[in-house]
Amino acid sequence: MINEKMEKAFNRQINAETYSAYLYWSMSAALEYMNLPGFANWMQVQAQEEMTHAVKFFRHIMERGGRVALTAIDGPPTGWKDVEDVFKNIQKHEEHVTSLINDLMDLALTEKDHAAVMFLQWFVTEQVEEEYMVHEILGKLKVAGTASAALYMLDREMAQRVFVPPTTAQKVQG
Ligand code: FEO
């Protein structure tokens, strides 16, 4: 059974992951207004992934006999200068999420909660991937600069991203 400290911390993380989805939806809208539908699509997929992260924490609490307590989600910002500004903000945001995951791992280790340690390992790897993905896109945006043809090509590339649901995230016990 999950202890109270871990339960509280995981409930806070449900909120943080759902906030991430809110943030990326807000960015998706902003990018569509910038006439970048491919980037807007990329951000929609990112938001969907964040919701699966929230569901993973939800399931972990439930499957270990804890209580899920959902709390209000803050409103995300709405204004960004351009697409590079959006991705610089994502970079900052994901670095923050990485620090949250690291704090959860520290707590799980202190509490000797081995199940939580195993569970959180997926998130440690995921954060490395997410930070790298954003770093890569920022690099491409720097190369594209203000050249509209390059940005147009990049937008078409971003349109290719599709949502692939993780197999365990949506599991609901019958
Ligand atoms: Fe759920 Fe982008 O970390």
Side-chain angles (χ1 to χ4, degrees):
M1 186 161 177
I2 195 164
N3 77 19
E4 216 174 297
K5 263 193 198 169
M6 290 303 309
E7 182 190 275
K8 253 194 193 153
F10 276 16
N11 270 305
R12 275 199 302 273
Q13 195 62 25
I14 293 178
N15 185 293
E17 299 291 348
T18 310
Y19 174 79
S20 293
Y22 255 40
L23 176 65
Y24 294 140
W25 275 327
S26 185
M27 287 173 165
S28 179
L31 289 160
E32 199 163 330
Y33 285 128
M34 290 176 203
N35 296 313
L36 293 167
F39 278 99
N41 167 70
W42 189 96
M43 215 58 78
Q44 283 287 331
V45 173
Q46 188 67 14
Q48 281 176 289
E49 282 201 0
E50 296 302 347
M51 286 312 296
T52 69
H53 297 172
V55 171
K56 273 182 186 278
F57 281 98
F58 183 109
R59 293 305 320 156
H60 186 82
I61 295 171
M62 297 298 260
E63 285 164 17
R64 296 189 58 211
R67 284 194 171 273
V68 167
L70 300 178
T71 50
I73 310 296
D74 287 341
T78 52
W80 293 276
K81 198 160 56 88
D82 52 28
V83 59
E84 195 175 345
D85 187 31
V86 171
F87 275 85
K88 279 183 181 160
N89 276 276
I90 298 180
Q91 190 173 42
K92 235 188 272 165
H93 180 70
E94 287 302 336
E95 282 169 4
H96 169 66
V97 175
T98 298
S99 76
L100 295 180
I101 297 295
N102 288 344
D103 288 348
L104 288 175
M105 184 62 104
D106 286 347
L107 181 65
L109 290 166
T110 308
E111 295 296 312
K112 298 188 181 353
D113 185 339
H114 295 186
V117 169
M118 296 280 287
F119 168 76
L120 287 166
Q121 275 168 2
W122 184 89
F123 282 92
V124 172
T125 308
E126 174 71 7
Q127 284 310 119
V128 173
E129 283 172 15
E130 290 214 350
E131 283 195 38
Y132 179 66
M133 184 171 59
V134 175
H135 170 82
E136 237 192 351
I137 294 171
L138 264 174
K140 286 180 181 178
L141 281 168
K142 277 198 185 104
V143 171
T146 51
S148 53
L151 199 55
Y152 176 75
M153 291 302 288
L154 206 47
D155 191 60
R156 284 181 62 163
E157 185 185 324
M158 296 298 142
Q160 304 304 313
R161 187 178 185 194
V162 289
F163 175 63
V164 182
T167 46
T168 54
Q170 307 286 6
K171 190 173 87 143
V172 175
Q173 282 180 334

